[in-house]
Amino acid sequence: QSALTQPASVSGSPGQSITISCTGTSSDVGSYNLVSWYQQHPGKAPKLMIYEVSKRPSGVSNRFSGSKSGNTASLTISGLQAEDEADYYCCSYAGSSTNWVFGGGTKLTVL
Amino acid sequence: EVQLVESGGGLVQPGGSLRLSCAASGFTFSSYEMNWVRQAPGKGLEWVSYISSSGSTIYYADSVKGRFTISRDNAKNSLYLQMNSLRAEDTAVYYCARVDDAVVVAAFDYWGQGTLVTVSS
């Protein structure tokens, strides 16, 4: 199973909004509303930011939102803050044989 | 507070074996599905293996099938990964990660801090 496709990097200025795309196939992103997004700061464990395409776990800022259209999911971060600078990974459930597939990761730089 | 603490990583020669452990606390371990996810140095995340809450259902990524064995001891609140026939490409930080299908369906809601496995001669 190939990894989901994410842009290697995105950037934005404080206060701006950015969107990270995550393209899969009809076997993963397109088949299940089970896309999740993770934030990872250098040297730290990943942190769940979005699950089931657009739901936020308790404690995650409402500046983070998710959506999906066809085989592509997206993470939008509004009102960029310096602490949002991190790597972001999408993940999709892909059925009981493949289970989970991750994207290659996107490095977000806050200018 | 939910805590997952991995241990057992280290340097091992190609073809060697290693057993990772993940000690869980702060939640009813026996009620949750668990996974191993790894991250090669400077690379992205890769799902490795899944085990159901009872241990009756297990899945592996193709890259480790036949070489790695996941298991759990609910009495000891512990998750394990037995890694045999290790290859250089298995070098990574290995994370244990919880799935709470009752709340965050098919997503990893808590992660350990990771343990580094280095396969090199």
Side-chain angles (χ1 to χ4, degrees), chain B residues 8-64:
Chain B
L11 175 64
V12 61
Q13 292 189 337
S17 298
L18 214 53
R19 188 195 195 205
L20 306 184
S21 299
C22 172
S25 61
F27 65 102
T28 305
F29 180 71
S30 59
S31 296
Y32 291 84
E33 304 159 14
M34 298 296 296
N35 294 262
W36 289 97
V37 178
R38 69 184 179 182
Q39 185 171 35
K43 302 296 184 182
L45 300 168
E46 179 188 15
W47 171 77
V48 173
S49 184
Y50 159 96
I51 187 167
S52 63
S53 56
S54 66
S56 60
T57 301
I58 286 173
Y59 298 113
Y60 299 99
D62 288 343
S63 57
V64 306

Side-chain angles (χ1 to χ4, degrees), chain B residues 6-121:
Chain B
E6 301 93 338
S7 60
L11 175 64
V12 61
Q13 292 189 337
S17 298
L18 214 53
R19 188 195 195 205
L20 306 184
S21 299
C22 172
S25 61
F27 65 102
T28 305
F29 180 71
S30 59
S31 296
Y32 291 84
E33 304 159 14
M34 298 296 296
N35 294 262
W36 289 97
V37 178
R38 69 184 179 182
Q39 185 171 35
K43 302 296 184 182
L45 300 168
E46 179 188 15
W47 171 77
V48 173
S49 184
Y50 159 96
I51 187 167
S52 63
S53 56
S54 66
S56 60
T57 301
I58 286 173
Y59 298 113
Y60 299 99
D62 288 343
S63 57
V64 306
K65 202 172 294 183
R67 301 187 299 122
F68 289 12
T69 302
I70 190 172
S71 62
R72 65 191 296 161
D73 186 334
N74 286 341
K76 294 184 177 179
N77 292 334
S78 293
L79 175 72
Y80 306 101
L81 186 67
Q82 177 67 43
M83 303 186 297
N84 298 331
S85 303
L86 282 162
R87 306 166 180 167
E89 53 265 36
D90 295 320
T91 294
V93 173
Y94 285 75
Y95 296 99
C96 63
R98 190 183 85 164
V99 170
D100 178 3
D101 260 359
V103 179
V104 290
V105 180
F108 309 107
D109 63 344
Y110 283 95
W111 299 63
Q113 86 289 349
T115 187
L116 177 62
V117 172
T118 303
V119 184
S120 174
S121 53

